[in-house]
Amino acid sequence: MAFVGKKFPDLDVDAMNDMGDTFKLNVLEEAKNKNKKVLLFWYPKDFTFVCPTELHAFQEALEEFEKRNTIVIGASCDTPEVHFAWLNTSKDNGGIEGVTYPILADSNRNLSSTLGILDITNESYNEETGVVTVEGDNVTYRATYLIDEEGTVFHEGINHMPVGRNVAEFLRLIDAYAHVQKNGEVCPANWEEGKEAMNANREGVASYLASN
């Protein structure tokens, strides 16, 4: 199910911060109550390989997201305690020490299953035993959601496990959506802040293509 153009699910989820505090976090309410955009990125597992590179990359760009009135939130299906252990593991040991944004601990998988981003295949039910079995790790793909100030999703994307994300592309998408919100224009392919946008009509596209 695609969530673009729809409200993000209204669910409270356990979260952990770098201070070791476990608390409830509702992504939809974060956006609406704080009047901010939200970037929510999911990764498969703590203490793995591609994952720490992504968490550090989002941390390094945190100031750029804050300039754009955007909250960054990480998420996986690990428990808060495992998150805190990883947060206390140094970078040179594969840890994420130094990450300051909150990380969801969706260990009951309520939110990730609602979003449909779990690595589950070939689910089967044994009528004799009543046992349901699945193939897959039942962890999330590398899913990313951009949510506006009203709680509406304006971007979602899913990478397979081995493929890390490009943080700069999410900054570009936020810039483009902010331009649309402010100016009412639409942003063509490869648009970046400072480049020409266009009016969403025949004359607008003709004028843009003529000069580009």
Side-chain angles (χ1 to χ4, degrees):
M1 176 181 176
F3 279 86
V4 170
K6 302 181 178 70
K7 297 294 184 186
F8 193 80
D10 184 7
L11 288 172
D12 294 337
V13 183
D14 283 341
M16 171 62 68
N17 62 24
D18 60 326
M19 302 300 293
D21 302 317
T22 301
F23 56 97
K24 294 292 184 181
L25 194 154
N26 185 307
V27 175
L28 178 67
E29 290 181 356
E30 284 289 293
K32 294 173 66 177
N33 294 346
K34 295 183 178 178
N35 194 35
K36 292 180 180 288
K37 293 181 176 66
V38 175
L39 182 145
L40 171 67
F41 73 97
W42 295 81
Y43 61 91
K45 299 177 183 179
D46 292 356
F47 292 100
T48 53
F49 318 111
V50 176
C51 297
T53 69
E54 291 193 311
L55 274 85
H56 286 298
F58 280 109
Q59 179 66 36
E60 289 167 8
L62 192 59
E63 185 176 339
E64 291 300 317
F65 285 106
E66 291 171 349
K67 287 178 183 176
R68 292 162 172 82
N69 196 42
T70 301
I71 299 167
V72 173
I73 302 171
S76 80
C77 296
D78 297 278
T79 65
E81 293 79 11
V82 175
H83 283 340
F84 191 52
W86 204 26
L87 283 162
N88 280 281
T89 302
S90 64
K91 187 175 182 179
D92 58 6
N93 281 319
I96 58 167
E97 186 177 31
V99 167
T100 60
Y101 50 80
I103 306 174
L104 298 185
D106 188 36
S107 55
N108 58 18
R109 291 159 172 75
N110 285 342
L111 182 53
S112 51
S113 61
T114 299
L115 295 170
I117 57 174
L118 289 166
D119 172 26
I120 298 175
T121 57
N122 298 326
E123 183 173 323
S124 61
Y125 175 70
N126 187 314
E127 293 185 359
E128 291 184 5
T129 63
V131 174
V132 176
T133 60
V134 298
E135 294 181 17
D137 287 340
N138 201 22
V139 297
T140 66
Y141 294 110
R142 299 187 191 282
T144 315
Y145 297 85
L146 293 177
I147 302 149
D148 70 15
E149 297 86 348
E150 296 180 353
T152 301
V153 177
F154 66 91
H155 167 84
E156 64 179 314
I158 302 176
N159 290 9
H160 206 346
M161 312 297 189
V163 182
R165 282 161 281 211
N166 182 339
V167 173
E169 172 62 4
F170 299 112
L171 292 169
R172 189 194 73 84
L173 288 167
I174 292 167
D175 286 342
Y177 194 73
H179 183 92
V180 172
Q181 289 175 307
K182 181 180 178 180
N183 300 291
E185 296 178 312
V186 294
C187 297
N190 300 322
W191 183 92
E192 295 176 342
E193 184 65 46
K195 289 187 176 181
E196 179 185 0
M198 62 187 187
N199 293 319
N201 53 42
R202 183 171 180 174
E203 292 77 14
V205 69
S207 174
Y208 177 84
L209 293 175
S211 61
N212 291 274

